[in-house]
Amino acid sequence: MVEQSREMPTLDEVARVAGVSRSTASRAINGQVYVSAKAREAVTNAVASLGYSPNLLARSLATKRTNSIALVLSERGDTVLADPFFARVLRGVHAGLSGSGMQLVLLMAQDEQAQGELGQYLCAGHVDGALVVSLHGDDPLPDQLASSGLPVVLLGRPLAKVDVPYVDADNSTGGELAAAHLVERGRRHIATIAGPRDMAAGIDRLSGWRRGMTAAKRRPAGVVHADFTAAGGAAAMRELLAAYPEVDGVFAASDLMAVGAMQVLREAGRRIPQDVAVVGFDDSELAETAVPPLTSVRQPIEEMGRAITLRLIAQINAVADQPSSVLLPTELVPRESS
Amino acid sequence: MVEQSREMPTLDEVARVAGVSRSTASRAINGQVYVSAKAREAVTNAVASLGYSPNLLARSLATKRTNSIALVLSERGDTVLADPFFARVLRGVHAGLSGSGMQLVLLMAQDEQAQGELGQYLCAGHVDGALVVSLHGDDPLPDQLASSGLPVVLLGRPLAKVDVPYVDADNSTGGELAAAHLVERGRRHIATIAGPRDMAAGIDRLSGWRRGMTAAKRRPAGVVHADFTAAGGAAAMRELLAAYPEVDGVFAASDLMAVGAMQVLREAGRRIPQDVAVVGFDDSELAETAVPPLTSVRQPIEEMGRAITLRLIAQINAVADQPSSVLLPTELVPRESS
DNA sequence: CTGAAAGCGCTTACAG
DNA sequence: CTGAAAGCGCTTACAG
């Protein structure tokens, strides 16, 4: 059992020391308006001398406001945390939270069973709202949460038609930019290493790339799906080289896959960009440190994290006229790989 | 204000539906022993039919146990989150937490002012304990927290002599291994890019490296301090090349610095490892994807995260005979850069 | 094994 | 502007 030697002062003691009632002490502490200057000062002094700090649990129980939101990683926690994407999201969430007085509770679905408990936990009123980072578009969690009345905002477009606001990057335009860029670089046989078919990011980047190819009147030279990892990108590149040896331009739907692909190209004796131009997606640190540095479609991940947070806070505070969902712009960052 | 349409059932309703008193319902739900089979079943059914889930806030207020611990990043949040180190720690913490029924509250010191509030928040009993990741060894926070009676475990050896248990990698042995390896590879002019002087990780890796050099009867060919970043590593390497052009072996105290150094070496026309062998520290993903792949000293970051978590939980539960502090082993992972 | 009661530390109508 | 009182939803001695 816990054995904490520290007895924190309570509101009652503050009131006693200040010589006012508990109600008045509470009002003074919360900066309410109907408090005499004299009472306010007495309370302020009492708070300082006692080192009082309100028990947020008790406050929450009384106000039904927890002043905390959950960041839910609806993926196997051990996997998703390996992804630098997540750290960037977290930075954005942190930025969005700053100054709001809200705390962040981090929740992860460890397995299918935990998934259910997670939903229950969230719906039981322990947080004021939830940010759900759901990489798989068909995740049932967002819908489950939202239908319980919990304010929820998603990072990433859900695949199913659920009535939950989301923030995503403009993946489709990003894919289009990549295609246009490779065309502009004079590439004649352009292939893509697409993301998974069950993730919006995979689907949207591919459809955008297809649109870009069509706009340039080009026939795609090959489409292979992979899982956004370096190993997956490498395997996909091997497949592409075998099936389309003439390939001279590749759009990989993630930097990690692009790096894997570049490794395979190098091993196959293809020079980058002279023989094959490569474009990634994310504009991660990986893109800068790759050899050669990787042209990549930038998505503003930190901003996305910040946006979902602000959006959620607004929803919790019932601020009217919130846009239901938002796509943040993507842009192409040219480097030496193309 | 919050407008949540969901009225969660309370313990009172469960008791009413089950036809027992609130006390009995509570006991049944908490799996206590003196409950008749009949009562237990009635409560179980009531819970299921109502979809009841206990309000953890109220429970915490009554039990004085929050069932949550804080992970405190005592650095500027926006900076520390950029470091992959952090994500790995988080994975470890997550692993350590799994099955404990505890939640993780993520706290970051945004600025000096927030630093004080943070301490107050933590000491005010909102969490059962705190994990502090304090990269700067002279951080006052750990001491402040511990002296308030809050269970605290540190990740990383503190520089000041504070009475707080910590878990760290055996940085010193790691540095020694790096020195021995470079010697063994036949290097004659071995330099190091050390970490900052005010961080235990910087100090310990350097002292270990020195010990290794001494053991091999070698004079260090140069010591330059940098800040663990790629840019810092690059600058340090330039400095080393200028001052010790004969350098043929470099131990960089982080992979990031090693990558920066390799970039500079390449620009200077030095081949790796033929002209200069490079060893990093962390064995991060960066080490594997570097060109050439980087020899690096592995530190078990995930395990460290897991260890601090288990240690903290034990302390919260007042489990006796806990080791005060622990160093986890480091090992050298040889790759092509040396 | 069970229930009535007090208590955890706050907030907030309500009456003055 | 202020205080007494009720209430937030739980747990836990205490007496039976």
Side-chain angles (χ1 to χ4, degrees):
Chain A
M1 291 301 101
V2 204
E3 191 63 274
Q4 281 166 201
S5 58
R6 58 226 161 74
E7 287 296 302
M8 297 306 294
T10 72
L11 185 59
D12 273 305
E13 297 173 53
V14 171
R16 190 163 39 72
V17 169
V20 300
S21 73
R22 196 161 32 140
S23 317
T24 298
S26 173
R27 280 188 284 256
I29 286 167
N30 291 298
Q32 286 182 29
V33 77
Y34 292 125
V35 182
S36 66
K38 192 179 146 198
R40 191 180 301 278
E41 199 190 321
V43 171
T44 306
N45 290 337
V47 165
S49 74
L50 290 171
Y52 171 76
S53 143
N55 181 317
L56 265 50
L57 259 49
R59 177 180 283 173
S60 294
L61 190 57
T63 60
K64 301 199 154 265
R65 257 271 221 175
T66 66
N67 288 309
S68 64
I69 65 171
L71 175 60
V72 183
L73 304 181
S74 187
E75 300 282 324
R76 301 211 27 151
D78 49 346
T79 311
V80 74
L81 289 182
D83 198 326
F85 174 83
F86 165 73
R88 297 179 61 189
V89 171
L90 196 50
R91 287 173 71 176
V93 170
H94 178 243
L97 232 34
S98 103
S100 70
M102 292 229 166
Q103 297 304 334
L104 220 216
V105 179
L106 200 60
L107 259 28
M108 289 172 257
Q110 343 224 28
D111 46 44
E112 311 91 70
Q113 188 228 345
Q115 176 92 12
E117 291 174 16
L118 195 68
Q120 227 185 328
Y121 176 88
L122 287 167
C123 294
H126 307 308
V127 292
D128 294 336
L131 261 17
V132 180
V133 180
S134 186
L135 303 181
H136 288 273
D138 55 351
D139 191 330
L141 189 68
D143 202 34
Q144 178 190 353
L145 295 181
S147 64
S148 86
L150 215 224
V152 174
V153 178
L154 253 48
L155 183 63
R157 179 174 81 82
L159 283 188
K161 187 80 198 110
V162 297
D163 190 25
V164 182
Y166 65 84
V167 172
D168 205 340
D170 189 346
N171 286 310
S172 169
T173 298
E176 196 175 353
L177 289 171
H181 174 78
L182 287 167
V183 167
E184 189 204 34
R185 283 286 194 264
R187 302 300 151 159
R188 315 215 55 87
H189 304 283
I190 305 174
T192 189
I193 300 176
R197 294 182 173 81
D198 67 341
M199 297 193 194
I203 296 171
D204 296 348
R205 290 170 197 174
L206 175 57
S207 71
W209 176 80
R210 288 210 142 103
R211 202 173 56 230
M213 294 293 280
T214 303
K217 304 206 191 328
R218 297 298 184 87
R219 285 258 311 280
V223 174
V224 178
H225 287 269
D227 63 357
F228 279 143
T229 69
M237 193 66 238
R238 270 183 221 106
E239 218 176 302
L240 280 175
L241 280 178
Y244 313 94
E246 73 280 16
V247 62
D248 62 359
V250 177
F251 165 50
S254 81
D255 285 349
L256 228 37
M257 295 199 297
V259 167
M262 291 206 292
Q263 192 95 32
V264 167
L265 286 169
R266 198 177 302 119
E267 285 165 15
R270 310 283 181 116
R271 291 167 306 161
I272 304 167
Q274 297 86 340
D275 300 331
V276 183
V278 179
V279 176
F281 200 110
D282 279 342
D283 192 30
S284 59
E285 212 168 72
L286 214 59
E288 295 181 55
T289 60
V291 181
L294 178 65
T295 295
S296 187
V297 178
R298 185 181 109 87
Q299 59 168 335
I301 301 179
E302 283 86 353
E303 278 178 60
M304 288 157 65
R306 193 159 164 278
I308 51 174
T309 308
L310 297 179
R311 179 69 177 73
L312 180 65
I313 292 177
Q315 190 167 336
I316 289 172
N317 293 329
V319 174
D321 298 328
Q322 289 297 311
S324 76
S325 295
V326 179
L327 289 186
L328 263 38
T330 48
E331 63 181 310
L332 191 120
V333 180
R335 294 201 182 83
E336 297 167 31
S337 72
S338 67
Chain B
M1 293 300 99
V2 205
E3 191 63 274
Q4 282 166 203
S5 58
R6 59 225 161 77
E7 287 297 303
M8 298 305 295
T10 72
L11 184 59
D12 273 305
E13 296 172 52
V14 171
R16 191 164 36 71
V17 170
V20 299
S21 76
R22 197 161 31 140
S23 317
T24 298
S26 173
R27 280 189 284 257
I29 286 167
N30 290 298
Q32 286 183 28
V33 77
Y34 291 126
V35 182
S36 65
K38 190 179 148 199
R40 193 180 299 280
E41 198 190 323
V43 171
T44 305
N45 290 338
V47 165
S49 75
L50 289 172
Y52 172 76
S53 143
N55 181 319
L56 265 51
L57 258 47
R59 177 179 285 172
S60 294
L61 190 57
T63 61
K64 302 202 156 263
R65 257 273 221 173
T66 66
N67 288 309
S68 64
I69 65 173
L71 175 60
V72 183
L73 304 180
S74 186
E75 300 283 324
R76 301 211 28 151
D78 48 347
T79 310
V80 73
L81 289 181
D83 198 326
F85 174 83
F86 166 74
R88 296 180 61 189
V89 170
L90 196 51
R91 287 172 70 176
V93 170
H94 177 244
L97 232 34
S98 103
S100 71
M102 292 230 168
Q103 297 304 334
L104 219 217
V105 179
L106 199 61
L107 258 27
M108 288 171 257
Q110 342 223 28
D111 46 44
E112 311 92 70
Q113 187 229 346
Q115 175 93 11
E117 292 174 16
L118 195 66
Q120 227 185 327
Y121 176 88
L122 287 167
C123 294
H126 307 309
V127 293
D128 295 335
L131 261 18
V132 180
V133 180
S134 187
L135 304 181
H136 288 274
D138 56 350
D139 191 331
L141 189 68
D143 202 33
Q144 179 190 352
L145 295 180
S147 65
S148 86
L150 215 224
V152 174
V153 178
L154 253 48
L155 184 63
R157 181 173 79 81
L159 283 187
K161 187 79 199 108
V162 297
D163 190 25
V164 183
Y166 65 84
V167 172
D168 205 340
D170 189 347
N171 287 309
S172 171
T173 299
E176 197 175 352
L177 289 171
H181 174 78
L182 287 167
V183 167
E184 188 204 37
R185 283 287 194 264
R187 301 302 149 156
R188 314 216 55 90
H189 304 284
I190 304 175
T192 188
I193 300 176
R197 292 181 175 80
D198 67 341
M199 296 193 195
I203 295 170
D204 297 348
R205 289 169 198 175
L206 175 57
S207 70
W209 176 80
R210 288 210 142 103
R211 202 172 57 231
M213 294 293 282
T214 303
K217 305 204 192 324
R218 298 300 183 85
R219 285 258 312 282
V223 175
V224 179
H225 287 269
D227 62 355
F228 279 145
T229 68
M237 193 64 238
R238 268 183 221 106
E239 220 176 297
L240 281 175
L241 280 178
Y244 313 94
E246 72 280 16
V247 63
D248 61 1
V250 177
F251 165 50
S254 81
D255 285 349
L256 227 38
M257 294 200 298
V259 166
M262 291 206 293
Q263 191 96 32
V264 167
L265 285 170
R266 198 177 300 118
E267 285 165 16
R270 310 282 182 117
R271 291 166 306 162
I272 304 168
Q274 296 88 337
D275 300 330
V276 183
V278 179
V279 175
F281 200 109
D282 279 342
D283 192 31
S284 60
E285 211 168 75
L286 214 58
E288 294 181 56
T289 60
V291 181
L294 178 65
T295 295
S296 188
V297 178
R298 185 182 109 87
Q299 59 168 335
I301 302 179
E302 283 85 355
E303 276 177 62
M304 289 158 65
R306 190 157 166 279
I308 50 173
T309 308
L310 297 179
R311 180 69 179 73
L312 181 64
I313 292 176
Q315 190 166 336
I316 289 171
N317 293 330
V319 174
D321 297 328
Q322 289 297 310
S324 76
S325 294
V326 179
L327 289 187
L328 264 39
T330 48
E331 63 181 311
L332 191 120
V333 181
R335 295 202 181 81
E336 298 167 31
S337 72
S338 68

